[in-house]
mmCIF file of all heavy atoms in Angstrom:
data_model
loop_
_atom_site.group_PDB
_atom_site.id
_atom_site.type_symbol
_atom_site.label_atom_id
_atom_site.label_comp_id
_atom_site.label_asym_id
_atom_site.label_seq_id
_atom_site.Cartn_x
_atom_site.Cartn_y
_atom_site.Cartn_z
ATOM 1 N N ALA A 1 0.825 -1.222 -0.010
ATOM 2 C CA ALA A 1 -0.001 0.013 0.002
ATOM 3 C C ALA A 1 0.856 1.254 0.005
ATOM 4 O O ALA A 1 0.377 2.330 -0.412
ATOM 5 C CB ALA A 1 -0.929 0.000 1.212
ATOM 6 N N LYS A 2 2.086 1.160 0.468
ATOM 7 C CA LYS A 2 2.953 2.346 0.470
ATOM 8 C C LYS A 2 3.246 2.854 -0.919
ATOM 9 O O LYS A 2 3.537 4.011 -1.088
ATOM 10 C CB LYS A 2 4.272 1.999 1.174
ATOM 11 C CG LYS A 2 4.117 1.770 2.651
ATOM 12 C CD LYS A 2 5.448 1.446 3.262
ATOM 13 C CE LYS A 2 5.315 1.180 4.772
ATOM 14 N NZ LYS A 2 6.617 0.846 5.371
ATOM 15 N N CYS A 3 3.159 2.006 -1.932
ATOM 16 C CA CYS A 3 3.497 2.466 -3.306
ATOM 17 C C CYS A 3 2.354 2.260 -4.280
ATOM 18 O O CYS A 3 2.516 2.337 -5.482
ATOM 19 C CB CYS A 3 4.748 1.748 -3.808
ATOM 20 S SG CYS A 3 4.639 -0.033 -3.748
ATOM 21 N N ARG A 4 1.137 2.018 -3.766
ATOM 22 C CA ARG A 4 -0.026 1.833 -4.657
ATOM 23 C C ARG A 4 -1.175 2.709 -4.154
ATOM 24 O O ARG A 4 -1.277 3.016 -2.997
ATOM 25 C CB ARG A 4 -0.500 0.387 -4.665
ATOM 26 C CG ARG A 4 0.470 -0.569 -5.246
ATOM 27 C CD ARG A 4 0.508 -0.460 -6.785
ATOM 28 N NE ARG A 4 1.328 -1.478 -7.360
ATOM 29 C CZ ARG A 4 2.516 -1.238 -7.872
ATOM 30 N NH1 ARG A 4 3.037 -0.063 -7.864
ATOM 31 N NH2 ARG A 4 3.190 -2.227 -8.420
ATOM 32 N N GLU A 5 -2.031 3.106 -5.084
ATOM 33 C CA GLU A 5 -3.160 3.961 -4.726
ATOM 34 C C GLU A 5 -4.470 3.220 -4.547
ATOM 35 O O GLU A 5 -5.312 3.631 -3.790
ATOM 36 C CB GLU A 5 -3.344 5.041 -5.780
ATOM 37 C CG GLU A 5 -2.152 5.976 -5.855
ATOM 38 C CD GLU A 5 -2.316 7.017 -6.940
ATOM 39 O OE1 GLU A 5 -3.408 7.126 -7.533
ATOM 40 O OE2 GLU A 5 -1.343 7.723 -7.191
ATOM 41 N N THR A 6 -4.668 2.091 -5.251
ATOM 42 C CA THR A 6 -5.955 1.469 -5.236
ATOM 43 C C THR A 6 -6.269 0.771 -3.917
ATOM 44 O O THR A 6 -7.390 0.826 -3.412
ATOM 45 C CB THR A 6 -6.116 0.404 -6.364
ATOM 46 O OG1 THR A 6 -5.151 -0.627 -6.144
ATOM 47 C CG2 THR A 6 -5.924 1.031 -7.707
ATOM 48 N N GLY A 7 -5.312 0.089 -3.344
ATOM 49 C CA GLY A 7 -5.488 -0.581 -2.036
ATOM 50 C C GLY A 7 -6.410 -1.775 -2.137
ATOM 51 O O GLY A 7 -6.871 -2.217 -1.096
ATOM 52 N N GLU A 8 -6.654 -2.303 -3.316
ATOM 53 C CA GLU A 8 -7.505 -3.474 -3.442
ATOM 54 C C GLU A 8 -6.615 -4.665 -3.775
ATOM 55 O O GLU A 8 -5.934 -4.708 -4.768
ATOM 56 C CB GLU A 8 -8.536 -3.265 -4.538
ATOM 57 C CG GLU A 8 -9.551 -4.368 -4.531
ATOM 58 C CD GLU A 8 -10.725 -4.089 -5.487
ATOM 59 O OE1 GLU A 8 -10.816 -2.986 -6.034
ATOM 60 O OE2 GLU A 8 -11.516 -5.018 -5.694
ATOM 61 N N TYR A 9 -6.642 -5.671 -2.862
ATOM 62 C CA TYR A 9 -5.748 -6.804 -2.993
ATOM 63 C C TYR A 9 -6.516 -8.098 -2.832
ATOM 64 O O TYR A 9 -7.593 -8.133 -2.292
ATOM 65 C CB TYR A 9 -4.695 -6.773 -1.853
ATOM 66 C CG TYR A 9 -3.926 -5.492 -1.790
ATOM 67 C CD1 TYR A 9 -4.208 -4.559 -0.815
ATOM 68 C CD2 TYR A 9 -2.927 -5.237 -2.694
ATOM 69 C CE1 TYR A 9 -3.500 -3.363 -0.751
ATOM 70 C CE2 TYR A 9 -2.216 -4.042 -2.661
ATOM 71 C CZ TYR A 9 -2.501 -3.108 -1.665
ATOM 72 O OH TYR A 9 -1.813 -1.943 -1.629
ATOM 73 N N LYS A 10 -5.917 -9.163 -3.350
ATOM 74 C CA LYS A 10 -6.441 -10.506 -3.086
ATOM 75 C C LYS A 10 -5.261 -11.467 -3.006
ATOM 76 O O LYS A 10 -4.233 -11.245 -3.682
ATOM 77 C CB LYS A 10 -7.494 -10.961 -4.080
ATOM 78 C CG LYS A 10 -6.953 -11.274 -5.456
ATOM 79 C CD LYS A 10 -8.099 -11.787 -6.355
ATOM 80 C CE LYS A 10 -7.599 -12.097 -7.754
ATOM 81 N NZ LYS A 10 -8.685 -12.600 -8.600
ATOM 82 N N TRP A 11 -5.381 -12.523 -2.238
ATOM 83 C CA TRP A 11 -4.344 -13.540 -2.083
ATOM 84 C C TRP A 11 -4.731 -14.805 -2.851
ATOM 85 O O TRP A 11 -5.857 -15.238 -2.809
ATOM 86 C CB TRP A 11 -4.153 -13.877 -0.599
ATOM 87 C CG TRP A 11 -3.480 -12.762 0.131
ATOM 88 C CD1 TRP A 11 -4.073 -11.743 0.810
ATOM 89 C CD2 TRP A 11 -2.082 -12.530 0.195
ATOM 90 N NE1 TRP A 11 -3.116 -10.911 1.304
ATOM 91 C CE2 TRP A 11 -1.888 -11.383 0.941
ATOM 92 C CE3 TRP A 11 -0.953 -13.198 -0.310
ATOM 93 C CZ2 TRP A 11 -0.617 -10.864 1.225
ATOM 94 C CZ3 TRP A 11 0.305 -12.677 -0.027
ATOM 95 C CH2 TRP A 11 0.456 -11.528 0.712
ATOM 96 N N VAL A 12 -3.725 -15.360 -3.503
ATOM 97 C CA VAL A 12 -3.923 -16.584 -4.276
ATOM 98 C C VAL A 12 -2.845 -17.571 -3.831
ATOM 99 O O VAL A 12 -1.679 -17.211 -3.734
ATOM 100 C CB VAL A 12 -3.778 -16.306 -5.819
ATOM 101 C CG1 VAL A 12 -3.847 -17.571 -6.598
ATOM 102 C CG2 VAL A 12 -4.806 -15.295 -6.238
ATOM 103 N N GLU A 13 -3.264 -18.830 -3.550
ATOM 104 C CA GLU A 13 -2.271 -19.816 -3.267
ATOM 105 C C GLU A 13 -1.676 -20.335 -4.582
ATOM 106 O O GLU A 13 -2.239 -21.097 -5.294
ATOM 107 C CB GLU A 13 -2.870 -21.023 -2.462
ATOM 108 C CG GLU A 13 -1.810 -21.937 -1.974
ATOM 109 C CD GLU A 13 -2.304 -22.923 -0.920
ATOM 110 O OE1 GLU A 13 -3.543 -23.074 -0.745
ATOM 111 O OE2 GLU A 13 -1.490 -23.582 -0.296
ATOM 112 N N HIS A 14 -0.526 -19.758 -4.871
ATOM 113 C CA HIS A 14 0.155 -19.961 -6.175
ATOM 114 C C HIS A 14 0.618 -21.430 -6.296
ATOM 115 O O HIS A 14 0.473 -22.039 -7.346
ATOM 116 C CB HIS A 14 1.335 -19.011 -6.252
ATOM 117 C CG HIS A 14 2.022 -18.990 -7.546
ATOM 118 N ND1 HIS A 14 1.409 -18.624 -8.744
ATOM 119 C CD2 HIS A 14 3.324 -19.273 -7.879
ATOM 120 C CE1 HIS A 14 2.291 -18.690 -9.735
ATOM 121 N NE2 HIS A 14 3.443 -19.088 -9.261
ATOM 122 N N ARG A 15 1.213 -21.940 -5.255
ATOM 123 C CA ARG A 15 1.633 -23.341 -5.087
ATOM 124 C C ARG A 15 1.337 -23.720 -3.681
ATOM 125 O O ARG A 15 1.141 -22.855 -2.811
ATOM 126 C CB ARG A 15 3.132 -23.478 -5.345
ATOM 127 C CG ARG A 15 3.539 -23.197 -6.767
ATOM 128 C CD ARG A 15 5.081 -23.443 -6.940
ATOM 129 N NE ARG A 15 5.499 -22.917 -8.218
ATOM 130 C CZ ARG A 15 6.192 -21.795 -8.368
ATOM 131 N NH1 ARG A 15 6.565 -21.104 -7.301
ATOM 132 N NH2 ARG A 15 6.561 -21.377 -9.560
ATOM 133 N N PRO A 16 1.312 -24.999 -3.345
ATOM 134 C CA PRO A 16 1.081 -25.400 -1.923
ATOM 135 C C PRO A 16 2.129 -24.710 -1.010
ATOM 136 O O PRO A 16 3.318 -24.795 -1.258
ATOM 137 C CB PRO A 16 1.248 -26.921 -1.949
ATOM 138 C CG PRO A 16 0.904 -27.284 -3.335
ATOM 139 C CD PRO A 16 1.424 -26.179 -4.248
ATOM 140 N N GLY A 17 1.627 -23.957 -0.056
ATOM 141 C CA GLY A 17 2.469 -23.307 0.935
ATOM 142 C C GLY A 17 3.104 -21.979 0.403
ATOM 143 O O GLY A 17 3.947 -21.405 1.067
ATOM 144 N N GLU A 18 2.659 -21.504 -0.758
ATOM 145 C CA GLU A 18 3.171 -20.272 -1.342
ATOM 146 C C GLU A 18 1.997 -19.383 -1.774
ATOM 147 O O GLU A 18 1.251 -19.731 -2.699
ATOM 148 C CB GLU A 18 4.062 -20.544 -2.527
ATOM 149 C CG GLU A 18 4.660 -19.308 -3.139
ATOM 150 C CD GLU A 18 5.509 -19.595 -4.352
ATOM 151 O OE1 GLU A 18 6.013 -20.746 -4.499
ATOM 152 O OE2 GLU A 18 5.644 -18.705 -5.194
ATOM 153 N N PHE A 19 1.842 -18.275 -1.079
ATOM 154 C CA PHE A 19 0.724 -17.376 -1.353
ATOM 155 C C PHE A 19 1.296 -16.126 -2.048
ATOM 156 O O PHE A 19 2.297 -15.570 -1.638
ATOM 157 C CB PHE A 19 0.021 -16.975 -0.067
ATOM 158 C CG PHE A 19 -0.627 -18.146 0.626
ATOM 159 C CD1 PHE A 19 0.130 -18.934 1.482
ATOM 160 C CD2 PHE A 19 -1.955 -18.479 0.388
ATOM 161 C CE1 PHE A 19 -0.430 -20.024 2.086
ATOM 162 C CE2 PHE A 19 -2.518 -19.555 0.999
ATOM 163 C CZ PHE A 19 -1.737 -20.349 1.868
ATOM 164 N N ARG A 20 0.603 -15.661 -3.077
ATOM 165 C CA ARG A 20 1.035 -14.462 -3.817
ATOM 166 C C ARG A 20 -0.029 -13.404 -3.763
ATOM 167 O O ARG A 20 -1.229 -13.726 -3.891
ATOM 168 C CB ARG A 20 1.302 -14.810 -5.284
ATOM 169 C CG ARG A 20 2.426 -15.766 -5.476
ATOM 170 C CD ARG A 20 3.716 -15.058 -5.211
ATOM 171 N NE ARG A 20 4.851 -15.983 -5.401
ATOM 172 C CZ ARG A 20 6.097 -15.618 -5.328
ATOM 173 N NH1 ARG A 20 6.392 -14.376 -5.043
ATOM 174 N NH2 ARG A 20 7.043 -16.495 -5.494
ATOM 175 N N LEU A 21 0.392 -12.176 -3.574
ATOM 176 C CA LEU A 21 -0.512 -11.028 -3.526
ATOM 177 C C LEU A 21 -0.766 -10.496 -4.911
ATOM 178 O O LEU A 21 0.176 -10.318 -5.693
ATOM 179 C CB LEU A 21 0.102 -9.946 -2.649
ATOM 180 C CG LEU A 21 -0.716 -8.674 -2.461
ATOM 181 C CD1 LEU A 21 -2.032 -9.005 -1.720
ATOM 182 C CD2 LEU A 21 0.077 -7.644 -1.687
ATOM 183 N N GLN A 22 -2.070 -10.295 -5.194
ATOM 184 C CA GLN A 22 -2.453 -9.645 -6.430
ATOM 185 C C GLN A 22 -3.051 -8.279 -6.104
ATOM 186 O O GLN A 22 -3.729 -8.145 -5.102
ATOM 187 C CB GLN A 22 -3.460 -10.462 -7.239
ATOM 188 C CG GLN A 22 -2.865 -11.711 -7.842
ATOM 189 C CD GLN A 22 -3.811 -12.371 -8.829
ATOM 190 O OE1 GLN A 22 -5.018 -12.217 -8.734
ATOM 191 N NE2 GLN A 22 -3.250 -13.072 -9.810
ATOM 192 N N GLU A 23 -2.765 -7.296 -6.951
ATOM 193 C CA GLU A 23 -3.266 -5.935 -6.757
ATOM 194 C C GLU A 23 -4.120 -5.529 -7.971
ATOM 195 O O GLU A 23 -3.811 -5.884 -9.088
ATOM 196 C CB GLU A 23 -2.099 -4.948 -6.680
ATOM 197 C CG GLU A 23 -1.119 -5.276 -5.555
ATOM 198 C CD GLU A 23 0.137 -4.418 -5.670
ATOM 199 O OE1 GLU A 23 0.869 -4.628 -6.673
ATOM 200 O OE2 GLU A 23 0.356 -3.630 -4.775
ATOM 201 N N ARG A 24 -5.196 -4.792 -7.679
ATOM 202 C CA ARG A 24 -6.009 -4.287 -8.801
ATOM 203 C C ARG A 24 -5.319 -3.060 -9.345
ATOM 204 O O ARG A 24 -5.044 -2.105 -8.649
ATOM 205 C CB ARG A 24 -7.410 -3.957 -8.342
ATOM 206 C CG ARG A 24 -8.324 -3.597 -9.533
ATOM 207 C CD ARG A 24 -9.741 -3.299 -9.127
ATOM 208 N NE ARG A 24 -10.428 -4.403 -8.551
ATOM 209 C CZ ARG A 24 -11.031 -5.369 -9.253
ATOM 210 N NH1 ARG A 24 -10.957 -5.393 -10.567
ATOM 211 N NH2 ARG A 24 -11.690 -6.341 -8.616
ATOM 212 N N GLY A 25 -5.108 -3.077 -10.651
ATOM 213 C CA GLY A 25 -4.417 -1.974 -11.307
ATOM 214 C C GLY A 25 -5.410 -0.865 -11.734
ATOM 215 O O GLY A 25 -6.622 -0.993 -11.508
ATOM 216 N N THR A 26 -4.881 0.162 -12.355
ATOM 217 C CA THR A 26 -5.697 1.275 -12.788
ATOM 218 C C THR A 26 -6.711 0.894 -13.877
ATOM 219 O O THR A 26 -7.698 1.572 -14.071
ATOM 220 C CB THR A 26 -4.832 2.458 -13.264
ATOM 221 O OG1 THR A 26 -3.962 1.961 -14.280
ATOM 222 C CG2 THR A 26 -4.021 3.010 -12.139
ATOM 223 N N ARG A 27 -6.401 -0.194 -14.583
ATOM 224 C CA ARG A 27 -7.321 -0.657 -15.654
ATOM 225 C C ARG A 27 -8.409 -1.619 -15.142
ATOM 226 O O ARG A 27 -9.146 -2.155 -15.897
ATOM 227 C CB ARG A 27 -6.506 -1.324 -16.731
ATOM 228 C CG ARG A 27 -5.588 -0.321 -17.428
ATOM 229 C CD ARG A 27 -4.895 -0.969 -18.591
ATOM 230 N NE ARG A 27 -4.040 0.027 -19.244
ATOM 231 C CZ ARG A 27 -3.116 -0.264 -20.058
ATOM 232 N NH1 ARG A 27 -2.859 -1.512 -20.378
ATOM 233 N NH2 ARG A 27 -2.358 0.693 -20.593
ATOM 234 N N GLY A 28 -8.388 -1.862 -13.823
ATOM 235 C CA GLY A 28 -9.436 -2.678 -13.231
ATOM 236 C C GLY A 28 -9.157 -4.141 -13.147
ATOM 237 O O GLY A 28 -9.986 -4.910 -12.661
#
C-alpha cells in the first residue's frame, strides 16, 4: 500500500504453501 493507490488486494495460493498477492491496477 505504500506504493499503490488502489489498495484493493487478493491472495492466491500460487503453489502449496506459497501465497502471492495480487493488486487491482488502474485498468481494473
Side-chain angles (χ1 to χ4, degrees):
K2 290 180 182 178
C3 56
R4 295 285 187 254
E5 296 178 8
T6 63
E8 190 172 351
Y9 306 104
K10 71 177 181 179
W11 287 94
V12 176
E13 190 167 12
H14 186 62
R15 293 183 192 105
E18 181 182 336
F19 297 85
R20 295 289 180 174
L21 181 63
Q22 289 192 331
E23 302 169 295
R24 186 178 296 278
T26 55
R27 295 184 179 164

